[in-house]
Amino acid sequence: MRPALLLIDLQNDFLSSSSLVPARGSVVDRAARLLNHCRAVALPVIHIWTTADHQRRMPHWEKTGKLICRAGTNGHSPPEALLPLDSETIIHKTFFSGFSNDQLAPLLRSLKVDTLLIAGVHLHGCIRSTVLDAYQQGYACLVAEDAVASDDPLHAALTRRYLESRAATFNSVQDLCSIISNEVKTAGCGANGNDAREIVHFSPRQSNWLLWRLPTSSGQEIEAGISMAKESSRRWRSVNAGDRLALLARVADMVESQSDVLSRQIALEVGKPISYARQEVARSVRLLRGLSSHVCDGVERQCGKDVGVRYRPVGTVALITPWNNPMAIPIGKIGPALLYGNAVVWKPAPVASNIAIKMMELFRSAQMPEGLINLVLGYRSAALQVMGHHDIDAVSLSGSLAAGYSAQDMCARRHVPLQAELGGNNASIIWHDCDLEDAAVKVAESAFGFSGQRCTANRRAIVSAACYAQFVKLLEQATARLVWNDPLDERTHVGPVISQAKRDELRSLVARAEKRAQFVVSPHRPDDELMAAGAYFPATIIGCDDPQAEIVQEESFGPILVVQRAENWEQAIELCNGVKQGLVASVFSHSKAVQSAFLEEAQCGILKINSGTANAAAEAPFCGWKASGIGPPEHGAANREFYTRTQAIYR
């Protein structure tokens, strides 16, 4: 392999878009890592820039009067971390593809290049065009999946699916660095990321401890699992609702009887403090037992003189689940799917694979019919194969915004229902009339418990200017009292994050945030021994009043809390609603008027009074607004909306 790096349109004008996904900071940081690694191993680096003026710009820019990326302006240049060296070539273009400048092709030939490493913006436009032209000319293309961005993320998800089935391979920057150094590491997904043949998982609490290796499911095994599920769904839908419920009750009993074993496994494998792991197991049991309140036997019920209504199973449901709640989230999907007469194909997050295998053992012990739940192990390619299969009738997913866009693309193509929970950038408003000490204690635990790796965790605290200084002091004290330690310690609140790669990502995020922050505080004392052993990151409080800062707008999914000052109620609620997600929000106030205003104006699916944002009741709908959710909510009475289809029958 003779590679060269192409950095496409990593220019300030493009990177400044507020709708860019991922956000500017993370894209620049990862592209810079790839750039520096390529320089260190003396690979050719080519910078491809859009250069426009009144005489040379794309026609659709002319129609709208758009004029950006003008030579000599700051917007035309890349960020400092991506500035070219004197020895590196800059290729200027007017249109989408880098090959539209006839200098690029002969340059690559002269360098005897056969493989292109690609990072930049926009995946759906200029990167797509460049990759397709490179493919036509015979180059292999390796795209840095975490160092490409787009201001049209759904289009980008479609583009990625299109390109990786034809013209490109997508890998993380970490894996690309390993590939070009010829030192491929098996730290999670290997060199070929989404197509690796095994999953290798290291302990979050002891990073050099290999916990397990598991083979991924082959394409043929996935096909067979879907086929079994389809066949099982035909038999299962004829089983009466009482017998389905009895099976799920047996599963609940099995889970409860194995609580200690399951809790320890969760603590070891995902780093969740063991007290939180026990809470997760208990929530799993409540989710299963709560289904008895929502039995639906599908019998026709009259809803008018000549018309009846009945609810029929969807069929075969694909469940895509995350690692942070490796039991409760799958149980919350599997339970109602089976209750309402469906069969399941389940693809857990890679690092949750071993816990999923343990759960399958429990299902079999509860006398689950063969083929009713089919487990698929693997990475993104496995999830796409499952979601895109013609025998899958619906998809329920919990994951990232990027995963949600991919699921939308797959489901929209086949017109199948999608239910997606996509995280939250959750805020608590702390008003000056509340019990500030109580608010500080609750927000600290909500933000930093399980190292902030909960979709409902507090990410932001919006504080009345009248009590700002006092609350920040109390918040620091409350955070310092949380125990930061090994997840197997019963006292621990804040354990490790999921991996060293995540820890490094959080370090970079905080370093970028410091440039726009009023303060950055880590109340826990440094523990060099702890941090050297595993993927530990200290609870961090960041004061940042800029509502457009990356640290405010982007969900960190780590032990980071942003504190913002609000001069009045109008500003507080504007800050609360001023992010793209809308999962949970809370207010701390004794005033009925303030509480009422909050309930009227907060744009989230879950609202809380005098409570942190973390956690949700098993019996209540779990409903994200805006970018936090797609389709009907999960849990409680809402489950029937997704796991059945309604038929109106006229007689």
Side-chain angles (χ1 to χ4, degrees):
M1 182 173 71
R2 296 185 299 278
L5 174 64
L6 304 187
L7 297 177
I8 300 174
D9 287 348
L10 285 163
Q11 298 164 262
N12 286 318
D13 274 343
F14 291 131
L15 290 165
S16 64
S17 170
S18 61
S19 56
L20 199 68
V21 178
R24 172 193 177 109
S26 66
V27 174
V28 171
D29 181 67
R30 289 162 182 165
R33 281 191 233 170
L34 181 58
L35 171 61
N36 291 335
H37 189 84
C38 288
R39 286 170 174 169
V41 296
L43 290 186
V45 176
I46 301 169
H47 302 258
I48 299 176
W49 295 352
T50 294
T51 303
D53 56 35
H54 286 287
Q55 284 72 44
R56 295 182 307 157
R57 54 178 167 162
M58 288 185 282
H60 70 282
W61 284 14
E62 290 184 20
K63 289 179 182 178
T64 59
K66 185 176 183 179
L67 182 55
I68 59 175
C69 298
R70 291 175 294 164
T73 65
N74 179 65
H76 181 255
S77 299
E80 184 176 353
L82 299 174
L83 286 170
L85 302 178
D86 291 341
S87 59
E88 295 169 353
T89 302
I90 303 172
I91 297 288
H92 296 274
K93 64 183 179 67
T94 302
F95 292 93
F96 296 104
S97 173
F99 288 93
S100 64
N101 184 321
D102 58 13
Q103 296 176 24
L104 180 58
L107 173 62
L108 293 174
R109 287 195 296 270
S110 70
L111 294 170
K112 298 184 175 3
V113 165
D114 62 9
T115 302
L116 303 181
L117 313 175
I118 296 174
V121 295
H122 295 94
L123 176 57
H124 71 279
C126 295
I127 292 174
R128 178 182 184 274
S129 294
T130 302
V131 168
L132 290 176
D133 284 349
Y135 175 68
Q136 181 181 358
Q137 297 193 28
Y139 293 101
C141 293
L142 305 181
V143 179
E145 63 185 5
D146 49 353
V148 292
S150 176
D151 59 6
D152 188 347
L154 182 56
H155 193 177
L158 183 155
T159 297
R160 174 172 177 174
R161 174 181 55 78
Y162 179 85
L163 291 179
E164 64 188 350
S165 67
R166 293 167 174 81
T169 299
F170 284 70
N171 302 88
S172 69
V173 165
Q174 179 179 349
D175 284 340
L176 286 179
C177 291
S178 295
I179 291 169
I180 61 183
S181 297
N182 199 28
E183 295 175 355
V184 176
K185 300 175 183 177
T186 56
C189 60
N192 201 18
N194 293 311
D195 296 316
R197 294 183 179 178
E198 67 176 2
I199 303 167
V200 182
H201 183 46
F202 289 84
S203 167
R205 56 190 285 273
Q206 288 181 261
S207 298
N208 61 355
W209 179 13
L210 175 61
L211 289 175
W212 44 260
R213 293 176 182 267
L214 291 170
T216 58
S217 302
S218 68
Q220 292 82 358
E221 289 170 332
I222 294 172
E223 286 283 342
I226 295 172
S227 179
M228 287 181 66
K230 182 179 180 181
E231 183 61 32
S232 295
S233 71
R234 295 192 183 103
R235 297 190 299 269
W236 184 245
R237 70 187 340 175
S238 65
V239 174
N240 70 66
D243 288 343
R244 295 178 201 156
L245 189 63
L247 170 62
L248 295 170
R250 291 197 299 272
V251 174
D253 291 342
M254 294 297 301
V255 171
E256 191 168 45
S257 71
Q258 295 287 307
S259 177
D260 289 344
V261 172
L262 293 167
S263 299
R264 182 175 175 82
Q265 185 174 359
I266 291 169
L268 283 170
E269 297 190 11
V270 303
K272 178 174 286 191
I274 194 153
S275 61
Y276 291 84
R278 287 200 188 93
Q279 292 173 21
E280 180 181 349
V281 175
R283 176 177 172 82
S284 301
V285 174
R286 289 197 303 274
L287 284 165
L288 287 168
R289 291 190 172 147
L291 293 170
S292 62
S293 301
H294 305 288
V295 176
C296 172
D297 58 14
V299 174
E300 183 180 341
R301 294 173 175 83
Q302 290 302 115
C303 64
K305 181 180 178 182
D306 300 315
V307 63
V309 62
R310 67 177 181 177
Y311 302 94
R312 306 294 288 164
V314 172
T316 303
V317 183
L319 306 180
I320 314 296
T321 61
W323 56 264
N324 63 318
N325 286 291
M327 278 200 66
I329 289 179
I331 286 289
K333 298 177 187 292
I334 291 170
L338 299 187
L339 177 69
Y340 292 121
N342 305 285
V344 164
V345 179
W346 173 28
K347 211 298 284 183
V351 299
S353 297
N354 201 41
I355 295 170
I357 290 172
K358 176 64 176 178
M359 290 174 64
M360 291 297 290
E361 293 174 1
L362 295 179
F363 295 150
R364 284 190 286 270
S365 297
Q367 301 174 342
M368 184 76 65
E370 188 70 22
L372 195 56
I373 303 175
N374 296 269
L375 182 64
V376 169
L377 302 183
Y379 296 93
R380 181 177 183 273
S381 59
L384 292 180
Q385 182 178 346
V386 171
M387 291 191 294
H389 198 280
H390 57 84
D391 283 332
I392 293 296
D393 300 301
V395 175
S396 179
L397 174 146
S398 294
S400 65
L401 288 175
Y405 287 123
S406 292
Q408 280 184 288
D409 168 39
M410 300 302 291
C411 293
R413 288 170 58 233
R414 297 195 305 106
H415 304 286
V416 300
L418 170 64
Q419 176 192 66
E421 187 276 296
L422 305 174
N425 192 354
N426 312 303
S428 287
I429 298 175
I430 292 55
W431 212 235
H432 51 77
D433 67 335
C434 75
D435 182 334
L436 291 178
E437 186 169 358
D438 176 68
V441 168
K442 290 177 178 176
V443 169
E445 191 283 327
S446 183
F448 303 123
F450 183 29
S451 293
Q453 296 174 127
R454 299 181 280 189
C455 57
T456 56
N458 262 107
R459 309 286 175 212
R460 299 175 293 141
I462 299 163
V463 187
S464 168
C467 62
Y468 182 87
Q470 184 181 359
F471 177 78
V472 169
K473 182 178 179 180
L474 290 169
L475 179 64
E476 291 179 23
Q477 293 170 352
T479 302
R481 290 194 294 270
L482 297 174
V483 177
W484 180 39
N485 203 359
D486 189 315
L488 293 181
D489 187 327
E490 292 284 352
R491 304 167 301 163
T492 297
H493 300 94
V494 188
V497 294
I498 189 60
S499 66
Q500 286 186 320
K502 180 62 180 180
R503 179 198 62 195
D504 295 344
E505 177 188 316
L506 293 170
R507 284 176 176 169
S508 296
L509 178 61
V510 172
R512 297 194 299 271
E514 286 179 324
K515 299 174 183 177
R516 300 173 76 170
Q518 283 73 54
F519 66 85
V520 177
V521 178
S522 295
H524 288 121
R525 294 180 180 179
D527 189 327
D528 295 336
E529 184 177 346
L530 191 70
M531 295 183 72
Y536 291 88
F537 189 86
T540 302
I541 303 168
I542 300 176
C544 183
D545 290 338
D546 181 354
Q548 299 308 315
E550 177 191 11
I551 195 65
V552 175
Q553 287 294 318
E554 301 301 317
E555 181 187 14
S556 64
F557 213 74
I560 296 173
L561 177 68
V562 181
V563 182
Q564 296 180 280
R565 184 194 310 264
E567 298 296 333
N568 51 51
W569 177 257
E570 288 72 21
Q571 185 183 17
I573 201 68
E574 182 179 358
L575 290 170
C576 178
N577 293 334
V579 297
K580 56 180 169 283
Q581 292 166 301
L583 184 57
V584 193
S586 75
V587 67
F588 286 86
S589 174
H590 293 316
S591 166
K592 294 300 182 183
V594 169
Q595 293 177 11
S596 178
F598 169 76
L599 294 175
E600 181 66 25
E601 300 172 43
Q603 297 171 359
C604 289
I606 302 171
L607 302 179
K608 297 187 174 186
I609 306 295
N610 291 320
S611 169
T613 60
N615 300 322
E619 64 274 13
F622 195 84
C623 33
W625 285 19
K626 301 193 291 187
S628 288
I630 302 169
E634 295 188 274
H635 308 326
N639 280 324
R640 193 179 71 180
E641 296 179 44
F642 179 71
Y643 291 104
T644 68
R645 288 183 174 175
T646 305
Q647 286 183 320
I649 301 171
Y650 292 78
R651 299 184 187 279

